[in-house]
Amino acid sequence: MEQIKLNNIGFVGGGTMTEAIIKGILDSKLIDAESISVGEHNEARCEYLQRQYRVKAATDNNIAVSGADLVIFAIKPQVIQAAITKELVGHFKIGAYVISIVGSVSLKMLHRYISDIPIIRTMPNTPLAIGAGMTAICSDDMVTEEMLNTAKAIFGSCGEVEVVSENDIEAITAISGCGPGYAFVIIDALADAGVRAGLSRKLAIKLAAQTLAGSGKMCLETGKHPAELRDQVTSPGGTTIAGIQALESHGLRSAFFDAVQAVLRRSSELQSK
């Protein structure tokens, strides 16, 4: 993979998502480690990132963004006002642009703090940490094709990418952003059922996790509708249809509809604050 056309990348926030993105960038050789700077308030975390990935890290965000061609905000939405200050933006290099992975913060909201600078908004999920993420990308009118392609390369280095309309971002958050949480609940519940059936906890978790992972991969690689794949494993009058009937009787589909609507409501509440 060719290197991206950037001299320096500056991260604001040095948490799990930042680490996942850095790992993807370095593994794909998109840019050298010494060209990456991270601003992170926790000194021990800074030391870890420097030791583990050979990137620059400091507790001062101003240092991280100074001279960066691209600034990536990887912070919690609750701290955005405190983090994106006029002083910080004043340290941006002329011609720099921004990628945000801040959940429930729209492009319009971001431009309240960062005016006249191109911004790309993304919605990644936690499997980025193992190179199996799903990231949705949208942008404002100032973002060039080269900037967008750079964002696609960065997030493509640690999973799959889709460019979407910002109108779809909140629904995407409710599916893929929050989806790993739903999946872990399903794995845990299925493993509990396995333990109840007499299996060891370790084996039950492995069976449940690998089954979900394999089923997802099968859906993606075959391109078949999940209902068609379900039919392939559901014999008339067999065991699988008996299990599916039990799930449906407990409102499985309704539960997922309700979960997605609950996320959308909460996201709306966060954006109104």
Side-chain angles (χ1 to χ4, degrees), residues 188-199:
D188 188 38
L190 193 54
D192 274 348
V195 172
R196 176 66 180 84
L199 299 175

Side-chain angles (χ1 to χ4, degrees), residues 59-216:
T59 54
D60 187 344
N61 290 335
N62 294 334
I63 295 174
V65 305
S66 295
D69 302 293
L70 168 62
V71 176
I72 300 179
F73 284 99
I75 53 178
K76 300 291 186 184
Q78 295 88 340
V79 302
I80 189 168
Q81 188 170 359
I84 309 180
T85 62
K86 288 183 178 179
E87 181 185 5
L88 181 75
V89 177
H91 281 80
F92 282 11
K93 177 181 177 179
I94 294 174
Y97 62 104
V98 166
I99 290 178
S100 168
I101 66 169
V102 186
S104 300
V105 178
S106 67
L107 290 169
K108 183 178 179 180
M109 293 170 69
L110 287 164
H111 274 301
R112 293 177 189 169
Y113 307 101
I114 310 166
S115 60
D116 302 322
I117 291 175
I119 300 177
I120 296 169
R121 181 185 175 191
T122 70
M123 182 63 246
N125 62 11
T126 55
L128 257 71
I130 59 164
M134 181 67 241
T135 302
I137 295 176
C138 65
S139 62
D140 64 27
D141 293 338
M142 290 184 284
V143 170
T144 66
E145 185 177 356
E146 184 177 305
M147 292 173 184
L148 194 61
N149 286 338
T150 295
K152 288 163 65 178
I154 288 171
F155 289 95
S157 72
C158 38
E160 296 293 321
V161 176
E162 286 287 341
V163 178
V164 302
S165 164
E166 188 176 23
N167 292 334
D168 293 330
I169 286 286
E170 301 312 322
I172 288 168
T173 300
I175 303 300
S176 63
C178 301
Y182 313 152
F184 295 136
V185 169
I186 293 169
I187 290 167
D188 188 38
L190 193 54
D192 274 348
V195 172
R196 176 66 180 84
L199 299 175
S200 70
R201 172 68 61 184
K202 183 177 180 180
L203 177 58
I205 290 174
K206 182 176 183 178
L207 291 169
Q210 180 58 33
T211 297
L212 259 72
S215 299

